[in-house]
Amino acid sequence: MADSAPQNGPQGGAVQFLLANKLDTAMWLSRLFTVYCSVLFILPFLGTQEAANFYQRALLANALTSALRLHQRLPRFQLSRAFLAQALLEDSCHYLLFSLIFVNSSPVTLSIFPVFLFSLLHATTYTKKVLDAIGPNSLALLRMLLEKINVNQLNILKFIACNEIFLMPATVFMLLSGQGSLLQPFIYYRFLTLRYSSRRNPYCRTLFSELRILVEHLIMKPACPSLVRRLCLSTITFISRLAPTVA
């Protein structure tokens, strides 16, 4: 009886919760590791060379998380076109592809923010569940911090979508500067079309619309040179043609 007593306390409740949800716990730990590596890349306290290593580790950890989440969503793997089509509808598949696109390239700060922030948001949600398993009033300061992150979730998701969009021209500039591969812009374009068509995350599509409205508003002002106006309208038309049809 004495040996089982600690398991009935707050820590015991948390341990039982974690063990009862092994796959979710594994994703939680990998997301925390992604956040840790991302922070040490963004803030290179240990030097630029070590920061590049943390960049790669963050993307690899995100790939692991995405693979586990994809397995959770589609547990029965099938080598078929129908299964692949179903997998490509999943956000976890999108970010598995995202990690593979950038993991072997030169570090790009823009590419780490979506990985960092998505991991932070999901880790926040699961951490709250762990705290609830410990006790409803446990670790009040940490709960306040998690609540602040949750309150700003919409702004964070829009910021992620902004990074996803502006990474497209960034991959082209990387190619022209010799830092990227020839296939990278084309594969990233495929990723961006998947994000644009996402059923669960409409923010990429929404931000494209908001950016178009903003640019059209600015170029229709009398002060805007006609050459700039024509160039912007042509660019908008070109990008609109590339956008996939959303059901």
Side-chain angles (χ1 to χ4, degrees):
M1 295 295 291
D3 293 339
S4 62
Q7 294 298 321
N8 297 325
Q11 288 76 16
V15 170
Q16 290 175 4
F17 173 78
L18 294 173
L19 292 177
N21 301 276
K22 292 183 178 65
L23 188 57
D24 287 329
T25 299
M27 289 190 291
W28 177 57
L29 294 174
S30 64
R31 282 165 176 153
L32 289 176
F33 184 69
T34 303
V35 170
Y36 167 75
C37 292
S38 299
V39 170
L40 289 179
F41 168 71
I42 297 168
L43 304 173
F45 297 117
L46 303 178
T48 54
Q49 181 59 45
E50 196 62 30
N53 293 333
F54 280 114
Y55 172 84
Q56 191 173 52
R57 290 169 194 165
L59 290 171
L60 288 172
N62 183 70
L64 173 62
T65 305
S66 300
L68 290 173
R69 178 59 176 160
L70 187 61
H71 172 71
Q72 189 180 50
R73 294 279 297 173
L74 302 172
R76 295 185 178 180
F77 175 78
Q78 298 175 3
L79 193 61
S80 66
R81 181 177 297 180
F83 180 85
L84 178 60
Q86 184 66 30
L88 289 175
L89 295 176
E90 298 293 333
D91 289 355
S92 52
C93 182
H94 303 170
Y95 266 88
L96 176 58
L97 176 61
F98 181 91
S99 296
L100 296 177
I101 291 171
F102 290 103
V103 69
N104 288 320
S105 68
S106 300
V108 184
T109 304
L110 271 179
S111 68
I112 210 68
F113 281 115
V115 166
F116 165 56
L117 293 173
F118 267 131
S119 296
L120 181 65
L121 288 175
H122 288 295
T124 295
T125 301
Y126 198 73
T127 301
K128 289 171 71 175
K129 294 180 180 180
V130 175
L131 293 179
D132 289 339
I134 295 174
N137 299 316
S138 57
L139 300 174
L141 290 177
L142 180 56
R143 285 181 181 273
M144 288 176 59
L145 177 61
L146 298 178
E147 187 59 32
K148 285 187 177 294
I149 295 173
N150 191 54
V151 167
N152 289 287
Q153 180 174 338
L154 181 59
N155 292 329
I156 292 173
L157 290 170
K158 285 188 173 182
F159 181 72
I160 292 171
C162 186
N163 276 264
E164 291 173 347
I165 292 170
F166 286 104
L167 267 169
M168 183 69 251
T171 59
V172 176
F173 292 141
M174 287 172 63
L175 174 62
L176 297 177
S177 64
Q179 295 181 342
S181 69
L182 181 62
L183 292 177
Q184 192 176 50
F186 297 99
I187 301 174
Y188 189 80
Y189 165 70
R190 178 56 177 157
F191 164 81
L192 196 57
T193 60
L194 293 172
R195 299 305 294 156
Y196 186 89
S197 306
S198 175
R199 297 176 302 177
R200 302 182 65 193
N201 192 328
Y203 296 101
C204 184
R205 190 163 60 249
T206 301
L207 200 63
F208 261 116
S209 298
E210 290 178 356
L211 288 173
R212 176 175 181 171
I213 292 170
L214 176 62
V215 171
E216 287 178 341
H217 173 72
L218 292 174
I219 64 177
M220 290 307 169
K221 291 184 176 181
C224 180
S226 58
L227 177 63
V228 174
R229 183 180 298 114
R230 286 196 301 269
L231 180 62
C232 289
L233 289 173
S234 298
T235 303
I236 290 172
T237 302
F238 174 70
I239 293 174
S240 299
R241 287 175 182 170
L242 294 175
T245 303
V246 180

